[in-house]
Amino acid sequence: MVYSLSLPVMKKKLNNIIFFLFVFIVFPAFPQDEIDSIKQLIEKAEPAEQMKLYNEIGKLQYRKGKYPDALVNFKKSLQVAHSINDSLQIAKMYSNIGVINDVIGKYSVAIDNYQQSLKIYEYLNNKEGKESVLNNIGIVYEEMDMPDKALDFYFQALKLKKERGDQKSIAGTYNNIAIIFGSVYKNSDSAYYYYDQAMKIYQKTGDEKDVGMIYSNLGLIHLRKGEIKKAKDFFEKALKIFKKTEDPKNIASALYYLGLAHQGESDYTTALKYYLQAEKISEQHNIKKLQSQVCNDMARLYEDIHDYKNALTCFKKYDEIRNQLLNLEKIKKIHQLETNFELEKREHEIEMLKKQSELNELKLTWTKTVSIALITIFVLTIIIIVLISLKNRYKKEQEVITLQSRLFRSQTSPHFVFNSLMSIQTFLLENNVEKASEYLVDFAKLIRSILQQTRKSFITLDKEIEVLQQYVKLEKLRFSDKFDYSFEVNVQHPEEILFPPMLAQPFIENAIKHGLVPASKKGLLKILFEEKDNELTVMIEDNGIGRERSAKLNKNETHKSLATEITQERLQLMARRYKIKISMEIEDLYDDNREPAGTRVTFKMILN
């Protein structure tokens, strides 16, 4: 079967384009944490962005077989879509929710979801969405054993797909039509025709998963015709592809079909091996219909080998699952198996008494074997935990080294060093040797302080304040008293408080360079350190031209400030490694006439 899971539609606004480029370019660097990383963005995202992020999380979970989790996030996306009246996204989410309900066997709910989606697509005259939903409705009717209705919807979808010319989607519908002709109507010629049409397209597009599905379906045709060897060849080819693409549903199906083929050859041992694997995967991923089929055929196999106890267990599980899906009763069959089991149980009771001593001996041997195995597993587990711990420690150390390097480069940018040296040269050319000497001494102290502090994760607050004072003093001298500044320190014992080095410096640099220097009037830079209620507040405030006007003035610059990005990375790293949470807030300031009046950056840290 081919499901059409909706993809998010990008709006043509520049902010959305940048946002989604960030999500899909940056986050692949975090393989396991991809979903968690996207979740972090949702909290601060606008509703339109939240809606798309919930959808992306749902699709990732769907591909990994986590259907209940995917359903939750698709519903969240639908809720946000309703709140902002996004009709296209509403239609897509109803379709996605329908796919999940079909996979977990809630067919009537799936049909309702698809009908809701279809109405909206018809209203929007969206042919692509309409054909996708028609195809999916056909899948549900096929799974409900209503092949005529399924074919009707498949051919409606095929007509629209041919008008649009989407070859891969056309191939999917060919495949679905072929399944009905082959499995329901036993029309091998028609089935081969549509499978051949689908295979030609899939081989051109290079979609291995869909090629695997064709192999699987061809195997079923040969199995029904009694051509067991050909059937097994196709099933094994399909299984190899599905394992490569990590598709749990189709892996379980291929294993089940191989079990059927081997059972058809009376190779019960091999058949049971495949059945057990298929049953385990289908149970893990909540694939109810397949699980019921596997249990049914395993029960028949156990009957054939007169293992009525296991046959009874499988039929009970089959009946329970089948009743959940279609509310069918199999009580008569279960009673029959219970009778056979009781007869077999009485016959074995006498024999079991004779072998009791042998069993006791076997239990003792088994206990020893299990003990050795458990000890071995325990030792291996400890070794693995130690190796993983060492690996994580090394990874964290590398993160710290990389971040420290980036921090140093951001604090000692080529522009700052070059401009500082040019200022010294200017003083010398003006014969202001005293001024040049003072500037050079302060510049050397600052560079030395930066080199010392960026190698440390924390320094005392008084040292941090001292370095910032050196830096601001240099910048004021370099820019010829273009601005005044003030440091206000309301902290009782700054020498006892540990603080991340140079956390505020990049924002002070931005305030001077982009806020105060371009202003026509003389600016004022305020830097506040305040301790209150066991919380340290660090505030940088300027009365410059503001971020909006600064962005317009610098729109042609190719250099991009890394202050916010590096600071966010540092805060995340400290939260993970040291359990220290520091919040950061950037505010735009306005005067009484709502004109830009500067920028304020505030850090808050809980003191332990």
Side-chain angles (χ1 to χ4, degrees):
M1 303 298 172
V2 176
Y3 292 101
S4 301
L5 198 63
S6 304
L7 296 172
V9 178
M10 298 289 187
K11 293 185 179 180
K12 294 182 179 180
K13 296 180 181 179
L14 180 60
N15 62 330
N16 282 357
I17 294 174
I18 295 173
F19 183 83
F20 279 93
L21 283 175
F22 176 78
V23 173
F24 295 110
I25 292 175
V26 176
F27 281 117
F30 305 91
Q32 179 57 35
D33 296 335
E34 186 175 1
I35 292 176
D36 294 335
S37 301
I38 297 176
K39 285 181 179 178
Q40 292 177 6
L41 292 177
I42 292 177
E43 299 176 1
K44 298 182 180 180
E46 296 295 323
E49 295 163 349
Q50 287 182 341
M51 171 185 73
K52 295 171 185 176
L53 289 172
Y54 280 129
N55 184 30
E56 290 307 318
I57 294 173
K59 288 195 297 178
L60 288 170
Q61 291 167 332
Y62 171 82
R63 295 186 193 111
K64 294 179 180 179
K66 297 180 178 179
Y67 303 124
D69 294 337
L71 186 61
V72 169
N73 283 290
F74 286 146
K75 286 182 177 180
K76 288 181 179 179
S77 181
L78 176 63
Q79 184 178 3
V80 179
H82 274 299
S83 71
I84 63 175
N85 199 26
D86 189 327
S87 299
L88 183 60
Q89 188 73 5
I90 292 171
K92 290 180 178 180
M93 289 308 97
Y94 273 125
S95 179
N96 288 0
I97 292 170
V99 170
I100 300 297
N101 279 302
D102 184 19
V103 171
I104 64 178
K106 294 184 177 180
Y107 301 131
S108 60
V109 179
I111 291 290
D112 289 341
N113 295 139
Y114 287 141
Q115 292 291 356
Q116 293 277 8
S117 177
L118 188 60
K119 288 178 184 177
I120 300 173
Y121 280 132
E122 287 175 342
Y123 173 77
L124 297 174
N125 195 27
N126 188 311
K127 291 184 178 180
E128 182 179 357
K130 184 178 176 181
E131 72 190 35
S132 170
V133 173
L134 288 169
N135 185 80
N136 289 353
I137 293 175
I139 291 173
V140 179
Y141 278 120
E142 182 181 350
E143 293 175 343
M144 293 174 67
D145 297 325
M146 302 173 70
D148 293 337
K149 274 186 169 287
L151 275 181
D152 179 43
F153 280 99
Y154 285 153
F155 281 116
Q156 288 183 56
L158 185 61
K159 181 180 178 181
L160 291 175
K161 292 177 180 182
K162 286 184 175 180
E163 291 176 1
R164 198 167 57 86
D166 186 343
Q167 293 299 309
K168 185 174 179 181
S169 184
I170 291 171
T173 304
Y174 278 143
N175 183 61
N176 293 345
I177 293 171
I179 290 173
I180 293 180
F181 277 115
S183 63
V184 180
Y185 298 127
K186 314 301 180 186
N187 188 337
S188 299
D189 292 337
S190 295
Y192 267 113
Y193 169 77
Y194 286 109
Y195 280 138
D196 183 62
Q197 296 297 315
M199 181 67 85
K200 288 177 181 177
I201 296 174
Y202 288 144
Q203 288 176 338
K204 286 182 181 179
T205 58
D207 195 317
E208 289 187 342
K209 177 182 175 181
D210 292 320
V211 171
M213 293 177 69
I214 298 293
Y215 282 141
S216 182
N217 293 332
L218 289 172
L220 286 173
I221 291 178
H222 287 293
L223 185 62
R224 283 190 289 269
K225 294 171 68 175
E227 299 171 349
I228 304 297
K229 186 177 184 305
K230 288 184 179 180
K232 288 195 298 183
D233 288 342
F234 279 116
F235 293 146
E236 287 170 357
K237 288 180 181 179
L239 180 60
K240 184 177 180 181
I241 291 173
F242 294 145
K243 285 183 176 180
K244 183 178 179 182
T245 57
E246 298 181 352
D247 184 340
K249 182 180 179 183
N250 285 314
I251 289 173
S253 296
L255 290 168
Y256 167 59
Y257 296 148
L258 281 168
L260 287 175
H262 283 280
Q263 187 172 359
E265 294 179 322
S266 299
D267 183 0
Y268 299 119
T269 302
T270 307
L272 184 58
K273 179 188 72 172
Y274 285 118
Y275 283 151
L276 290 172
Q277 292 180 54
E279 200 271 338
K280 181 179 179 181
I281 294 173
S282 60
E283 184 177 12
Q284 286 176 342
H285 295 277
N286 201 31
I287 310 170
K288 293 291 187 183
K289 182 174 181 180
L290 178 60
Q291 188 181 0
S292 70
Q293 292 171 336
V294 176
C295 289
N296 185 33
D297 285 292
M298 272 204 300
R300 291 193 300 103
L301 184 150
Y302 281 125
E303 272 191 290
D304 291 342
I305 61 175
H306 307 295
D307 185 350
Y308 298 112
K309 181 178 179 180
N310 281 319
L312 176 61
T313 301
C314 290
F315 252 114
K316 282 185 176 180
K317 184 178 289 188
Y318 161 75
D319 186 67
E320 179 185 346
I321 297 169
R322 194 65 177 171
N323 282 335
Q324 291 174 7
L325 298 175
L326 302 175
N327 198 26
L328 297 177
E329 297 183 355
K330 297 292 181 180
I331 299 175
K332 186 176 180 180
K333 185 68 177 178
I334 293 173
H335 285 322
Q336 180 185 348
L337 287 169
E338 285 177 339
T339 302
N340 290 336
F341 171 64
E342 289 298 327
L343 290 172
E344 185 184 58
K345 182 180 179 181
R346 291 193 190 102
E347 292 174 358
H348 280 293
E349 282 178 351
I350 298 173
E351 186 178 353
M352 290 292 290
L353 290 172
K354 295 178 181 179
K355 295 183 177 181
Q356 189 64 47
S357 60
E358 296 178 11
L359 288 173
N360 289 335
E361 186 177 347
L362 286 173
K363 286 180 181 179
L364 182 60
T365 304
W366 172 251
T367 302
K368 291 180 180 178
T369 304
V370 170
S371 299
I372 294 172
L374 289 174
I375 292 172
T376 304
I377 292 171
F378 176 76
V379 172
L380 289 175
T381 302
I382 294 299
I383 293 173
I384 291 171
I385 291 172
V386 171
L387 291 175
I388 292 174
S389 176
L390 291 174
K391 180 181 178 182
N392 290 338
R393 183 183 302 174
Y394 173 76
K395 183 179 179 181
K396 289 180 180 179
E397 290 175 353
Q398 290 298 111
E399 283 183 337
V400 173
I401 293 171
T402 302
L403 193 56
Q404 286 175 341
S405 176
R406 295 183 65 193
L407 176 63
F408 173 71
R409 289 197 301 270
S410 70
Q411 258 90 53
T412 57
S413 66
H415 294 285
F416 171 71
V417 175
F418 176 78
N419 291 332
S420 296
L421 293 176
M422 288 300 295
S423 297
I424 296 171
Q425 184 184 41
T426 300
F427 291 139
L428 291 174
L429 291 174
E430 293 175 354
N431 291 322
N432 195 341
V433 178
E434 182 179 350
K435 202 78 170 179
S437 176
E438 179 186 352
Y439 194 103
L440 184 59
V441 170
D442 289 338
F443 177 72
K445 288 181 179 178
L446 178 62
I447 294 299
R448 183 179 64 183
S449 298
I450 292 174
L451 285 169
Q452 291 175 342
Q453 294 185 10
T454 51
R455 290 198 296 266
K456 301 177 182 179
S457 298
F458 295 93
I459 61 171
T460 57
L461 185 60
D462 62 327
K463 294 293 184 183
E464 171 74 358
I465 295 172
E466 180 182 342
V467 173
L468 293 179
Q469 288 174 334
Q470 290 176 344
Y471 173 74
V472 175
K473 178 182 177 182
L474 278 176
E475 289 293 75
K476 180 180 180 181
L477 189 61
R478 182 161 70 92
F479 288 112
S480 304
D481 289 329
K482 180 69 178 177
F483 64 93
D484 291 327
Y485 67 90
S486 67
F487 274 81
E488 183 178 351
V489 181
N490 298 324
V491 181
Q492 289 185 350
H493 300 287
E495 72 281 358
E496 297 178 0
I497 296 176
L498 293 178
F499 193 76
M502 306 301 285
L503 185 66
Q505 186 274 337
F507 298 94
I508 295 175
E509 178 184 350
N510 284 345
I512 296 171
K513 181 179 178 181
H514 300 294
L516 298 173
V517 173
S520 58
K521 61 181 181 180
K522 188 169 184 177
L524 176 62
L525 175 66
K526 297 179 181 179
I527 301 171
L528 168 69
F529 291 85
E530 184 176 45
E531 179 186 0
K532 186 177 181 181
D533 297 331
N534 203 37
E535 182 180 67
L536 176 66
T537 298
V538 180
M539 186 179 70
I540 304 102
E541 181 179 315
D542 68 80
N543 64 346
I545 62 175
R547 290 191 297 172
E548 183 178 349
R549 185 180 169 193
S550 176
K552 292 179 180 179
L553 292 175
N554 297 283
K555 65 181 180 179
N556 295 322
E557 288 189 6
T558 57
H559 172 71
K560 179 183 177 183
S561 174
L562 297 177
T564 303
E565 179 184 343
I566 294 177
T567 301
Q568 290 286 7
E569 289 182 22
R570 292 183 70 194
L571 298 183
Q572 291 173 8
L573 181 60
M574 284 186 287
R576 290 197 310 267
R577 190 171 188 185
Y578 303 108
K579 310 301 180 185
I580 295 177
K581 292 186 179 180
I582 303 177
S583 65
M584 179 180 71
E585 181 182 6
I586 302 177
E587 301 175 73
D588 293 311
L589 305 178
Y590 299 92
D591 59 20
D592 294 338
N593 298 321
R594 296 303 298 168
E595 293 294 327
T599 306
R600 179 188 298 132
V601 180
T602 305
F603 294 95
K604 291 183 180 294
M605 182 179 80
I606 302 298
L607 299 176
N608 295 323

